[in-house]
Amino acid sequence: MSGEQERFGEFVGVRRHGYVAELVLDRPKAMNAVSTDMARSIAAACDALGADPAVRVTVVTSSHERAFCVGADLKERNSFTDAELVRQRPVARGAYTGVLELPMPAIAAVHGFALGGGFELALACDLIVADRTAVVGLPEVSVGVIPGGGGTQLLPRRVGAARAAELVFTARRVEAAEAAALGLVDQLVDAGQDREEALALAARIAGNSPVGLRAAKRAMRLGHGLDLRAGLEVEDAAWRSVAFSGDRAEGVAAFNEKRAPQWPGE
């Protein structure tokens, strides 16, 4: 991986590729198991990216060759008292909601194991690109808890209630080909190509209006689960937020002048 990396604590880095930001999970000695410190760093990185108008797309990647992320750091959890676990909970939630609430499109690049909280980080993204080594799943009930990083809510929205119930209740691991067939991931690529393909997809998306991208994501997220009439009102509010923007004026002008737009991003 080339390019300078901005660090957020010991375990998270951010690289810039033009208008694309790459958020790197970088705790290789623990296969990116999410410790308290790492959760804090993920949240901090997401806060910084969300506040940066130059970032049009974020791609979440892993520095570990055999894993995207294996979920919560259970060794650390095993050392907690009940009171410590209660105090740690909002920190852990901050990592997952940080990714979920990124205002721009977010893509997960998954290879190897993406289990428990690791798969929930991917589910918090808008799209998941996975290579053929990927193994995903939410095994939490097998260790006496539940998917608590958004999994019980995000998985049914992705694959439907009954399919999500089967996957959560059995705690089974799903290999790449089946994961693609079930819609657990969106794009299946050759082994070792997940990061490259996710960055290429991000670059294509980043060619579009940053104002439009953020408004479209906002409309889809806020409108999901509403009845059609209410959803269309959400869409109309999002449309009004972009209709008189500099990006809209530039997009129309560029189309009529048959040239590539130079988005002002406002």
Side-chain angles (χ1 to χ4, degrees), residues 52-130:
D52 187 345
V55 178
R56 297 182 185 176
V57 187
T58 295
V59 180
V60 183
T61 69
S62 162
S63 67
H64 195 284
E65 292 182 357
R66 294 188 296 109
F68 176 73
C69 172
V70 294
D73 186 341
L74 296 184
K75 289 182 179 178
E76 180 189 63
R77 291 276 178 92
N78 193 48
S79 71
F80 285 168
T81 64
D82 288 354
E84 288 170 334
L85 184 59
V86 169
R87 285 197 298 272
Q88 196 254 5
R89 173 63 176 163
V91 178
R93 285 192 71 186
Y96 303 107
T97 57
V99 176
L100 184 65
E101 293 178 359
L102 283 169
M104 76 291 291
I107 303 170
V110 174
H111 59 264
F113 297 111
L115 301 172
F119 188 38
E120 288 173 306
L121 286 173
L123 289 171
C125 295
D126 301 290
L127 296 166
I128 303 173
V129 175

Side-chain angles (χ1 to χ4, degrees), residues 30-237:
M31 298 180 84
N32 290 331
V34 181
S35 64
T36 304
D37 284 348
M38 187 173 177
R40 209 173 270 120
S41 295
I42 292 170
C46 289
D47 282 346
L49 292 172
D52 187 345
V55 178
R56 297 182 185 176
V57 187
T58 295
V59 180
V60 183
T61 69
S62 162
S63 67
H64 195 284
E65 292 182 357
R66 294 188 296 109
F68 176 73
C69 172
V70 294
D73 186 341
L74 296 184
K75 289 182 179 178
E76 180 189 63
R77 291 276 178 92
N78 193 48
S79 71
F80 285 168
T81 64
D82 288 354
E84 288 170 334
L85 184 59
V86 169
R87 285 197 298 272
Q88 196 254 5
R89 173 63 176 163
V91 178
R93 285 192 71 186
Y96 303 107
T97 57
V99 176
L100 184 65
E101 293 178 359
L102 283 169
M104 76 291 291
I107 303 170
V110 174
H111 59 264
F113 297 111
L115 301 172
F119 188 38
E120 288 173 306
L121 286 173
L123 289 171
C125 295
D126 301 290
L127 296 166
I128 303 173
V129 175
D131 83 357
R132 295 185 184 279
T133 70
V135 179
V136 306
L138 296 175
E140 284 87 347
V141 297
S142 70
V143 293
V145 291
I146 69 165
T152 66
Q153 305 305 304
L154 294 170
L155 192 59
R157 284 166 165 78
R158 177 173 268 275
V159 299
R163 178 66 67 197
E166 184 263 321
L167 292 165
V168 171
F169 296 160
T170 63
R172 70 184 179 94
R173 299 180 176 188
V174 182
E175 295 190 1
E178 185 185 4
L182 295 179
L184 298 174
V185 304
D186 302 300
Q187 188 175 332
L188 190 60
V189 301
D190 290 340
Q193 296 298 303
D194 55 294
R195 175 178 176 268
E196 181 179 332
E197 292 292 338
L199 287 172
L201 174 59
R204 289 198 298 275
I205 292 171
N208 295 311
S209 158
V211 170
L213 288 171
R214 291 184 180 219
K217 176 168 178 170
R218 189 168 65 250
M220 288 189 285
R221 286 286 179 90
L222 293 177
H224 190 97
L226 300 178
D227 66 69
L228 180 58
R229 187 180 295 273
L232 289 173
E233 291 304 315
V234 169
E235 180 183 81
D236 186 64

